[in-house]
Amino acid sequence: MKTALITGITGQDGSYLADFLLSKGYSVYGLVRRKSKLDFNNAEHLKDKVHFIFGDMTDQASLIRAMEIANPDEVYNLAAQSFVTASWETPLSTADINAIGVTNILETIRLIKPKARFYQASTSEMFGKVQEIPQKESTPFYPRSPYGVSKLYGHWITKNYRESYGLYACSGILFNHESERRGEEFVTRKISTAVAKIKCGKQDILELGNLDAKRDWGHSEDYIKAMWLMLQQETPDDFVIATGENHSIREFVELAFKEVDIEIEWHGLGAKEYATFKGTDKAVVRVNPQFYRPAEVETLLGDPSKAESDLGWKREVSFLELVKRMVDHDLKWIQKS
Ligand code: NAP
Ligand code: GDD
C-alpha cells in the first residue's frame, strides 16, 4: 500500500485528490492549518479516512514533523494562498506560503525522505500576459500578480531541486479548474451561487468585474488525476494540463442563467442605479469596477498535447457539463438552506 501526504487537503483539489487516492488504496495523510475554530472545509467527509496532521507551509518544523509521521511515497503540494485578488492585499504572506513554502517542503523531503516523489501545483497564471497562443510547456512566463510571481518561484525551485539533487519532482502547470467545491470568491462559483440565489429569490443582482477575460476551464476531478499520473512515470517532468478551449466570463454567465431559464439584463459601466431597474423579471448582471484587478490576465488557453501523449491524460468533463454541475449543485444547496 502506498502512502501520500497532501498539503492543502481542505481545499478544492486536495479533497478530490484524497478521494481519488483513497479509492486507489492509498493511506492518506493531510496537512491542515490550525484555526480559531476547527474547520476541515472540503475535507469534512474525510475525517474518518485520512490522518490529519497540523502544520503550516511557512513553518518548516511542522513540515519535518509531518514528513516523519507520514513517511510518504508521494507528496502533493497543493497548499497555497490561491486567490489572485488577495495576493495584492497580502503580497508578503502570499510569497511566504506559495514561494518560500515550496522550498520548505523540498528541503524537508531532501533531508528526510529524498526518495519520496513530489508534485508542485504550478499554474497557468505564470503565463500571465501571454507570449504565445496557445500556451505550452516551452512558452515564456510573464506573471501579472504577486500570486503569479510567487508561483513562478515555486515552479523554478522545484525544477532546481530536481536538477540539483535528483529528486523526483514535477510541476503540473494547471489551467483553471473548477467544481462544486470551488471557493465562493472565484468567479465561476460566484456566478453559480448567484444564479441559484437569484432563482430562489434570495439575491437581486450579480456584480462582476472584467466580463471579457477568457479562461481555459476544466473540472477539478479530471485535473487531480493528471497530478497522480505525473508521479507514476519513469522520469519526472513538467506538464501543461488544460482543455484546449477557452470561454469568456460573459459566456459562463450566459450558460449559467440559461440553466435555470432566466434571461439576463446586462448593465455595463455607467449604467443607471440598479434601483431604477427593480421589478424586472430578468436577472440583472452589472459591471462593478471594484472587481477589476490592478493588472489583468486577459486570456489563457492551454495546449495539453504533451500530457495527452505522454501521460495518456484526457479531460472528461466538458465546459457545458461543468457549468451545469455547478449550477445544479448550488441550486440544491440554496433550496435546502
Ligand atoms: P484552494 O481551494 O484555495 O485550497 C488551498 C489549500 O491550501 C487549502 O487547503 C488551504 O487551507 C491551504 N493553505 C493555505 N495556506 C496554507 C498554509 N500556510 N499552510 C498550509 N496550508 C495552507 O485551492 P485549489 O483550487 O484547491 O488549488 C490547489 C493548488 O493548485 C493551489 O496551490 C493553487 O494555487 C493551485 N492551482 C489551482 C488552480 C485552480 O484553477 N484551482 C489552477 C492552477 C494551480 P485552509 O482550508 O486552511 O485555507
Ligand atoms: N474572482 C472574480 N470575481 N473574478 C472576476 C470577477 C469577480 O467578480 N469578475 C470578473 N472576474 C475575472 C477576473 O478578473 C479573472 O480574469 C477571471 O474572472 C477569473 O478569476 P478567478 O476565478 O478569480 O480565477 P483566476 O483565473 O484569477 O485564478 C484561478 O486560476 C488560476 C489558474 O489560472 C485560481 O484558481 C488560481 O489559484 C489559479 O492558479
Side-chain angles (χ1 to χ4, degrees):
M1 180 168 66
K2 279 195 191 171
T3 299
L5 171 64
I6 302 174
T7 73
I9 194 162
T10 56
Q12 170 187 259
D13 291 3
S15 60
Y16 279 121
L17 179 65
D19 292 337
F20 176 72
L21 295 179
L22 287 168
S23 77
K24 287 210 160 291
Y26 276 67
S27 169
V28 177
Y29 289 77
L31 191 81
V32 290
R33 285 195 284 184
R34 200 211 159 266
K35 292 173 209 153
S36 59
K37 187 170 171 276
L38 199 59
D39 170 20
F40 291 95
N41 193 2
N42 283 310
E44 194 62 39
H45 67 290
L46 294 167
K47 275 197 310 210
D48 300 330
K49 301 175 191 157
V50 162
H51 311 275
F52 289 114
I53 305 171
F54 284 102
D56 195 295
M57 295 308 296
T58 61
D59 178 343
Q60 203 197 356
S62 73
L63 299 180
I64 292 173
R65 186 172 164 273
M67 280 295 290
E68 284 175 343
I69 294 172
N71 188 27
D73 302 295
E74 297 171 6
V75 178
Y76 295 87
N77 183 34
L78 310 185
Q81 190 301 92
S82 74
F83 189 40
V84 172
T85 300
S87 75
W88 278 282
E89 290 149 5
T90 58
L92 299 181
S93 66
T94 297
D96 251 3
I97 300 165
N98 299 3
I100 303 303
V102 187
T103 312
N104 286 340
I105 194 148
L106 282 165
E107 265 299 293
T108 305
I109 291 173
R110 183 178 78 81
L111 292 170
I112 295 188
K113 192 161 184 196
K115 287 225 158 3
R117 295 186 167 204
F118 177 73
Y119 174 85
Q120 167 58 18
S122 285
T123 165
S124 48
E125 273 289 305
M126 302 187 309
F127 295 122
K129 191 172 177 182
V130 297
Q131 303 294 294
E132 185 180 26
I133 298 174
Q135 295 85 55
K136 47 185 184 281
E137 291 78 5
S138 56
T139 302
F141 299 118
Y142 194 137
R144 291 273 279 172
S145 63
Y147 169 81
V149 174
S150 70
K151 281 283 183 177
L152 192 51
Y153 175 99
H155 183 76
W156 281 111
I157 200 72
T158 301
K159 209 178 176 76
N160 182 261
Y161 269 56
R162 178 165 80 215
E163 292 172 359
S164 305
Y165 303 116
L167 297 190
Y168 189 109
C170 307
S171 285
I173 308 175
L174 271 52
F175 281 63
N176 296 51
H177 46 282
E178 319 293 311
S179 75
E180 301 83 325
R181 296 185 193 170
R182 187 56 143 154
E184 284 166 48
E185 73 272 62
F186 297 93
V187 76
T188 55
R189 191 78 199 283
K190 180 173 170 182
I191 296 167
S192 64
T193 51
V195 166
K197 284 182 183 168
I198 289 170
K199 178 74 180 174
C200 296
K202 292 183 176 172
Q203 185 173 325
D204 288 336
I205 179 166
L206 168 59
E207 290 197 323
L208 294 166
N210 181 6
L211 297 172
D212 298 319
K214 285 187 161 182
R215 289 293 182 273
D216 179 329
W217 278 301
H219 195 288
S220 172
E221 273 185 304
D222 282 343
Y223 285 46
I224 54 96
K225 290 179 191 157
M227 300 175 186
W228 177 76
L229 282 169
M230 281 180 223
L231 296 200
Q232 314 309 315
Q233 306 305 306
E234 266 183 30
T235 48
D237 204 351
D238 304 329
F239 293 90
V240 159
I241 304 297
T243 69
E245 62 180 81
N246 66 7
H247 301 270
S248 65
I249 312 301
R250 193 187 301 275
E251 276 177 85
F252 196 105
V253 174
E254 281 167 352
L255 283 176
F257 276 107
K258 204 164 163 209
E259 204 46 49
V260 294
D261 282 327
I262 294 181
E263 276 184 59
I264 303 167
E265 198 166 295
W266 296 98
H267 293 232
L269 271 182
K272 287 184 212 158
E273 281 308 302
Y274 166 61
T276 328
F277 300 96
K278 264 198 168 165
T280 172
D281 52 5
K282 292 180 180 170
V284 174
V285 179
R286 178 192 185 100
V287 173
N288 183 342
Q290 179 198 324
F291 298 108
Y292 287 169
R293 295 174 177 182
E296 176 65 295
V297 172
E298 292 293 347
T299 183
L300 288 173
L301 177 64
D303 173 0
S305 44
K306 181 177 163 191
E308 288 175 354
S309 64
D310 294 11
L311 302 176
W313 177 82
K314 206 156 181 52
R315 69 93 177 242
E316 277 160 30
V317 181
S318 69
F319 177 61
L320 244 167
E321 180 68 17
L322 171 72
V323 178
K324 191 176 160 34
R325 274 173 67 163
M326 291 180 73
V327 171
D328 287 355
H329 170 275
D330 284 344
L331 208 47
K332 287 192 193 111
W333 172 49
I334 297 300
Q335 278 163 351
K336 224 166 51 182
S337 64

